């Protein structure tokens, strides 16, 4: 028998302390805040924990090992084949929630490049009056999104966003997207843990990283009502090039770049013009 404290101290020599705590809590089926109130671990628990530690040492993301990732006030099911939601995206989601609150009693929102459905799940949790649709191309990701969005009323579609939801053209209040935005030429600069485990479809987007964002701009222009809003995440270095996509489109005004929790450029917002672009 080994104590929890000793087990964590030993594990922290192999993986980050926070990861060790999450993995041990997952092994024992308790919140991480309760770990130090427990006594000793039996051999079976130690063996299961050791297996998770060994996989974490090879670079498997801790969220894939626990099967969940936190996002705002919800827990999202994740695993191989789906992008892991990041805290940086929470600010953009909060901004979208503010726009929904201004849009009336039952606003209409569409999430593009939905992945696990984390954004849509957070909106359903915090603004249940919203009518929602989520669009995702990857079959693997759609499987996780279906699990996460079950019972929320969010309409989930597996489709190419460029052609999705034509029946909503001109009626949507908010379009939100966390599209792939890493340039292909930046492949080697992506941490090995990310590029070797998370799906490339959710990461890379053409030579300049803006291919998907260009599609988002076009789809948002089609879906949004006049004065409706779009927000789209981007890389820190795209603080000028991503907003420029929406400016060049011609169908938007009030184009502005915004920062994340770390005060770094992270997402662009734009309002649909009163008159449609030619």
């Amino acid at each position: 028998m080994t104590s929890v404290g000793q087990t964590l101290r030993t594990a922290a020599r192999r993986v980050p302390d926070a990861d060790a705590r999450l993995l041990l809590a997952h092994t024992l089926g308790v919140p991480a805040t309760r770990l130090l109130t427990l006594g000793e671990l039996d051999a079976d628990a130690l063996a299961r924990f050791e297996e998770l530690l060994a996989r974490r040492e090879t670079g498997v993301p801790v969220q894939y090992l626990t099967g969940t990732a936190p996002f705002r006030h919800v827990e999202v099911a994740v695993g191989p084949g789906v992008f892991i939601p990041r805290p940086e995206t929470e600010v953009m989601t909060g901004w979208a929630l503010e726009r929904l609150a201004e849009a009336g009693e039952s606003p209409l929102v569409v999430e593009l490049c939905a992945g696990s459905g984390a954004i849509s799940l957070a909106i359903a949790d915090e603004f249940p009056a919203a009518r929602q649709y989520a669009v995702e191309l990857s079959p693997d990701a759609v499987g996780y999104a279906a699990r996460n969005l079950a019972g929320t009323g969010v309409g989930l579609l597996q489709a190419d966003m460029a052609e999705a939801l034509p029946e909503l053209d001109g009626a949507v209040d908010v379009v939100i997207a966390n599209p792939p935005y890493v340039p292909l030429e930046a492949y080697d600069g992506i941490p090995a843990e990310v590029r070797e485990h998370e799906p490339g479809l959710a990461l890379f987007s053409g030579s300049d990283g803006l291919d998907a964002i260009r599609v988002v701009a076009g789809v948002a222009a089609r879906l949004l009502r006049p004065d409706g809003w779009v927000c789209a995440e981007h890389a820190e270095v795209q603080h000028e090039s991503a907003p420029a996509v929406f400016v060049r489109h011609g169908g938007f005004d009030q184009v502005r770049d915004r920062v994340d929790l770390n005060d770094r450029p992270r997402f662009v917002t734009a309002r649909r013009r009163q008159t449609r672009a030619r």
Side-chain angles (χ1 to χ4, degrees), residues 44-77:
D44 179 63
L46 282 171
R48 288 184 283 118
F49 182 51
E50 171 59 34
E51 180 182 357
L52 292 176
L53 281 179
R55 294 179 64 194
R56 182 71 187 103
E57 286 182 297
T58 68
V60 178
V62 67
Q63 296 91 344
Y64 284 0
L65 296 173
T66 64
T68 63
F71 188 78
R72 290 183 69 88
H73 306 297
V74 298
E75 286 283 336
V76 182

Side-chain angles (χ1 to χ4, degrees), residues 5-244:
Q6 181 181 347
T7 300
L8 287 173
R9 286 191 295 273
T10 301
R13 301 188 191 109
R14 301 166 57 184
V15 302
D17 179 67
D19 290 357
R21 291 176 180 275
L22 286 173
L23 294 176
L24 185 56
H26 175 71
T27 299
L28 300 176
V30 301
T33 54
R34 281 195 54 206
L35 283 176
L36 296 182
T37 69
L38 304 178
E40 297 184 328
L41 305 179
D42 60 29
D44 179 63
L46 282 171
R48 288 184 283 118
F49 182 51
E50 171 59 34
E51 180 182 357
L52 292 176
L53 281 179
R55 294 179 64 194
R56 182 71 187 103
E57 286 182 297
T58 68
V60 178
V62 67
Q63 296 91 344
Y64 284 0
L65 296 173
T66 64
T68 63
F71 188 78
R72 290 183 69 88
H73 306 297
V74 298
E75 286 283 336
V76 182
V78 295
V82 70
F83 183 74
I84 299 167
R86 266 65 169 182
E88 291 83 358
T89 309
E90 295 182 5
V91 175
M92 179 176 71
T93 304
W95 184 91
L97 283 162
E98 292 173 356
R99 302 292 77 73
L100 289 172
E102 298 168 352
E105 293 184 0
S106 185
L108 182 57
V109 56
V110 172
E111 180 187 4
L112 304 175
C113 306
S116 66
I119 291 173
S120 290
L121 181 60
I123 292 173
D125 175 67
E126 298 180 52
F127 204 117
R131 295 168 292 147
Q132 291 187 252
Y133 291 87
V135 181
E136 171 55 45
L137 181 62
S138 162
D140 290 334
V142 166
Y144 285 100
R147 176 178 170 186
N148 289 319
L149 297 175
T152 63
V154 177
L156 175 63
L157 290 81
Q158 181 183 343
D160 184 334
M161 64 175 168
E163 303 170 354
L165 299 170
E167 67 275 18
L168 300 183
D169 285 359
V172 177
D173 294 289
V174 173
V175 170
I176 184 169
N178 181 10
Y181 49 71
V182 179
L184 289 171
E185 64 185 21
Y187 179 87
D188 292 335
I190 298 298
E193 177 179 315
V194 175
R195 69 172 186 259
E196 292 175 7
H197 293 280
E198 297 191 60
L201 183 64
L203 297 172
F204 301 101
S205 188
S207 60
D208 62 0
L210 296 172
D211 282 3
I213 290 178
R214 294 186 184 98
V215 177
V216 168
V219 175
R222 170 171 63 81
L223 290 175
L224 288 172
R225 61 168 173 78
D227 293 332
W229 290 92
V230 59
C231 52
E233 186 167 321
H234 60 72
E236 183 178 347
V237 297
Q238 294 166 334
H239 64 283
E240 294 182 349
S241 58

